[in-house]
Amino acid sequence: MQGRDLLRFTTRSALSHRLRSGLTALGIGIGVTAVVLLTAIGEGLHHYVLDEFTQFGTNIIGINPGRSTTFGAATGVFGAVRPLTIDDAEALKRVPFVLNTVPIVQGTASAEGGGRERSTNISGVGPEMPAAFDFQVALGGFLPADDPRAPRPLAVLGATVRHELYGERNPLGELLRVGGERYRIVGVMESKGQVLGFDLDDTVYIPAVRALELYNRQGLFEIDVLYDKSASADEVVAGIERMIIARHGGLDVTITTQQQMLDVLGSVLDVVTFAVAALGGISLLVGGVGIFTIMTIAVRERTAEIGLLRAVGAGRGQVRAIFLGESMLLAALGGVGGLLAGTAIVALIGVAVPLLPVRLSLPYVAAAQAIAVLIGLIAGVVPAQRAAALDPVAALRTE
Amino acid sequence: MTFTDCTRVALGALVRYPLRTAMMLLATAIGVAAVLVLTALGEAARRFVAEEFQSLGTHLLVVLPGKTETSGMGPGLMAGESPRDLTLADARALLRSPAVAKVAPIVVGAATVSFDGLERDITVMGSTASLLEVRQWRMAGGEFLRDQDWDRASPECVIGDTLRSELFVGRQPVGQWLRVGDRRCRIAGILARQGMSVMVNVDELVIMPVASAQQLLNAPGLFRVLVQAAGRDSVMPARRDMEQILKERHRGQEDVTVITQDSVLATFDGIFGALTAALAGIASVSLVVAGVLIMNVMLVSVSQRTAEIGLLKALGANRSQVTRLFLTEAVILAAFGAVAGVTFGQAAIFLMRSLYPDLDFDPPLWAVAGSFLIAIGCGALFGILPARRAARLDPIAALAGR
Amino acid sequence: MPAPMIRLESLSRTFQVGDALVRALDQVDLGIEAGEYLSIMGPSGSGKSTLLNVLGLLDTPTAGAYWLNGVNTSAMSDDQLAATRQSQIGFVFQSFHLVPRMSALENVELPMLLAGLDPAERRERARAALAGVGLTGRSDHRPAQLSGGERQRVAIARAIVMQPKLLLADEPTGNLDTASGAEIVRIVEGLNERGLTLIVVTHDAQIGERARRRLRLRDGRVVEDLRTTRP
């Protein structure tokens, strides 16, 4: 029997019971739809989170004070015997392949300007921050490259702060009061939106040293190192370690590469996607039970036909192939239907709820398809075997 | 036809095709069991997190220096830096509120500890005697920090269990002098093993009087202040009082954030509750698939039993009786399937419980009841089409088996 | 003298029915030459259908040997048996056994489909076979749209389309009215005249008497074997 004849034969017999075949395929289809949809959400989440992180660039290494970690961050952020200083940040610029370093001090304070006041995040940073994190300035410029140890009292506003304090007015040149000091506003950042629920735009950027004074701190929270993409992260990390040991007499910092973070995050999100795919797979399993049941019924109903096929020369293998083929065909039909429905719903969500990150995961779509057919195969084995084992004489006697 | 007769006839029909009946039961059971197992998982996660937060203490409030107006814990707030430090005097002032029972100021930082040539990087926590009660920690030996003047930087400390096992192999640590950074402190006691508690590994802590830690870390401000309210009803008054007291002390500026344990707990409860509901929803999809299967097989069975239906009609059965007969069959299938599913599910949960005794797997009652109802609902809903088809059969044609 | 097409040597087929052992065929010895026209008659339960099934390689004997064209069939595997049925044997059943969802043409194509023949060739040969039984205009009809006689003619076309040497008919007129039955008999006899070996199982004496060689079975034994020379 030729392949396409087998296909035609099974299609015809599946079509002869439209409603029954349709419902059987529907069972698998619902399962595939569930898998496609759930993995699309998982994949969407994956991309959403990774995009949020990679928007700061991937060739960044973070250095935090202290070796131990607590609260998910290096403990030294909260206080360390040996602080990280502006001088450390300057010295790290001399490490091979390092393009820039950005000292960071973070905290909250009240900012007064334009006749209003707002509790906001005040970040002390270096002039290279926009280049390192790929932030754009909307108005004016960023903090100028002053002497990092004695910078002028200048400030740059995040979009939210600007809007809350000055509305649509141009704040450039205005004075902003933060913790008893007056800062001249030299720029406004373009909106970056929220990252994991935190409004990046609710921030005022001032020079790092001035933030240390504001918060009465000795050391920086973090030094971010931007390195040449052509260099390997390991190479750069080794250089940083040598520099820190030379300056501090020991390695008393925690070094995290962006790539490490992305890898960890990526693998966690992969597990999440896999888990939701498996959950959708439960429906596929139930659909498989449906195929098995319907195929068993079909073998029983078509006993006489099986007898005839054997009489006109079909071997057991051919009978088996016919029923296995039918079972797989039903599963594949359901799979394609589920794929179309899932894709349509994903597209619909993309249009109707643009905030919900959905994205078709092609590997999972393909896997769902393959598993659907595999389920058809497995569910068909026992009925097909039963059909092949029928005694032709007895089968012909059934009406 | 009475209900009992209807059930008896339906059961008879189901028993006649044992394999397909078993398969429909299996399909429904898988769906119900999936709902149970998944909601049990979600519920276990919810309880685990709730217990984690409850283990922080009772009627707990946390004061953080700094405040932002947009929601979300940004790095600025997490780090707790603010132009005006939260001071020991601030913390002491909180005791003025009648709603406040205990106050534990906290400073944290990184330091290197060493003993007898062994060295380790650890987290130093500075606090007061009340911390032990507020956090409900237990001691493994010795004493916790003495209840003394908060400003006194006495050279004593309490160490966690990991530190004990790593630095004092086979030795009694209590009474020994430990080097912490550039200082020395006498070990007064050892904390019992607690493991991770809300992202802090207690076993790796060194706890010293808050004034000593401030000097060691050169940190004039406090990182957090933990406050225990006098009782459950005092939590909100305590929060109001504390905000008022700190506003007065900070010259009218509201520059601190007060978080109540209950609000954090409620947030997590909400998140995990939604997660559990979502899992139940996903698992219910398989119940719909099982319903489709029941409909499919019932349709087959209607066409195979055409002659029987014709006979029933010839004997005087009306449409509603035939409909009822087939609907009963579908509902019985779904109900038995659901019972089997609850049994499977509970067995799987029992297995999970014996594999992970630390987690409290138990499906919520709403999930058990809900999956049961959905299963029966699916059975009834998907039974309607075949039942109506059977009821509409023309008796003469049906008797002829056409 | 050439070897006979079919040779049965003390062939037995027994069935276990409950506690009893039923001898459907009991030590049957039989030789059939190519081109013969043979009828098998006897009361129900005499073993005539079993004999036909054994001859058609659908059933396997419990004892004895069956030589078909000089080959001992008891040594054949299931697949070899299927292949032999496909190429050498055609069946016509009392209840036609047409696949209801297929057209007449497709039913005739079925054996060629299983044999893996090309669609174009299948179509051509099926049309020719249908024309041979006088159903040229009915090839696209479903079995349900055909009369009983027409259905049986489709079945005959299907049985001969692989050009077998042996045509086995089990009560071919049993479900038909007299006129249609006579038509079917005329068709199969015509095939026999063109050299096809024809074996008909029937309880209709009128039809049985038409065969040149008539076997009568009782309790699994051949009790009568009559031959008439061509008139």
Side-chain angles (χ1 to χ4, degrees), chain A residues 335-345:
Chain A
V336 171
L339 178 68
L340 293 178
T343 314
I345 296 174

Side-chain angles (χ1 to χ4, degrees), chain C residues 151-207:
Chain C
R151 287 186 213 183
Q152 194 61 300
R153 279 191 271 164
V154 174
I156 293 169
R158 182 179 63 196
I160 58 168
V161 77
M162 293 295 287
Q163 293 161 351
K165 307 278 187 300
L166 176 62
L167 182 64
L168 303 174
D170 191 357
E171 304 276 10
T173 59
N175 282 5
L176 300 176
D177 59 72
T178 321
S180 309
E183 175 69 12
I184 295 302
V185 169
R186 195 185 59 72
I187 292 171
V188 292
E189 284 180 355
L191 291 167
N192 172 249
E193 273 156 31
R194 273 172 271 148
L196 186 65
T197 312
L198 175 64
I199 302 179
V200 181
V201 163
T202 183
H203 62 263
D204 183 335
Q206 274 196 328
I207 291 168

